[in-house]
Amino acid sequence: MKSTPWSVGELAERFGLATHVLRHWEDVGLLTPARDAAGRRRYREADAYRVATIVASKAAGMSLDQIRALVDTGSAERHRILETHLADIDEQIVALERSRAMARHAMECQAHDISNCPHFRAHVADIVSGARIGMPFPRHAGEHPSGPHATHPVG
C-alpha cells in the first residue's frame, strides 16, 4: 500500500469513484481526511480502509445512514441496523432462490406460455391461494415491507 498520503483524485481513482463521491462522504460525516498546508485533502491508509468499508457496505445494499452507524463508535443503533440488514439479506436470498428455480424451470419447460404449465404454477401457487401477497422485490435500505410489493404471509 502507498506510504504517502493520497490526493482526493488518487484515492478516488484507486476505488473507481468520482472525486465528488469522496467529497460527499466527507460532507455526510463518513470521512475526515487530513488537510495539507494549502487545505487540500490528504487521505492516509486508515482513510483507504474506511473507503473500502463504505464501498463494500454500499455493494451489500446498505444506505449511507446505515454505514454511518456502523463506523460511528458511539452508535447505539449498530446492532439493530445490522439485524435489519441481515433480515433484508435473508429475504433477498429467498427471492433469488425462488427466481432461480422459476428461471430454470422456464428454460426446460415445453410450454410456450409457462403460466399454463402446471409445474411452473407451483412456483406461484402461494400467491394465487392468498398465502403470500405479491412477489418479493428488493427493498431500498430502511424501507418498511408494506404496500403492493410486501412479502409477508396473510393471516
Side-chain angles (χ1 to χ4, degrees), residues 33-50:
R35 302 282 180 151
D36 65 13
R40 292 179 298 239
R41 292 167 180 86
R42 303 307 294 169
Y43 295 91
R44 301 202 179 274
E45 185 176 5
D47 297 311
Y49 277 100
R50 175 69 70 104

Side-chain angles (χ1 to χ4, degrees), residues 73-89:
T73 57
S75 176
E77 296 289 304
R78 185 170 191 263
H79 287 279
R80 184 194 59 76
I81 287 170
L82 285 170
E83 287 172 355
T84 300
H85 183 62
L86 287 170
D88 289 344
I89 290 170

Side-chain angles (χ1 to χ4, degrees), residues 68-126:
R68 186 180 308 103
L70 294 179
V71 298
D72 178 3
T73 57
S75 176
E77 296 289 304
R78 185 170 191 263
H79 287 279
R80 184 194 59 76
I81 287 170
L82 285 170
E83 287 172 355
T84 300
H85 183 62
L86 287 170
D88 289 344
I89 290 170
D90 290 341
E91 286 180 16
Q92 291 172 12
I93 289 170
V94 167
L96 287 170
E97 288 173 344
R98 182 177 185 146
S99 181
R100 180 189 318 140
M102 291 170 66
R104 281 189 176 150
H105 181 85
M107 285 182 59
E108 298 169 0
C109 187
Q110 299 299 313
H112 180 69
D113 177 357
I114 59 170
S115 67
N116 291 320
C117 171
H119 298 292
F120 189 83
R121 286 180 173 202
H123 291 290
V124 293
D126 57 341

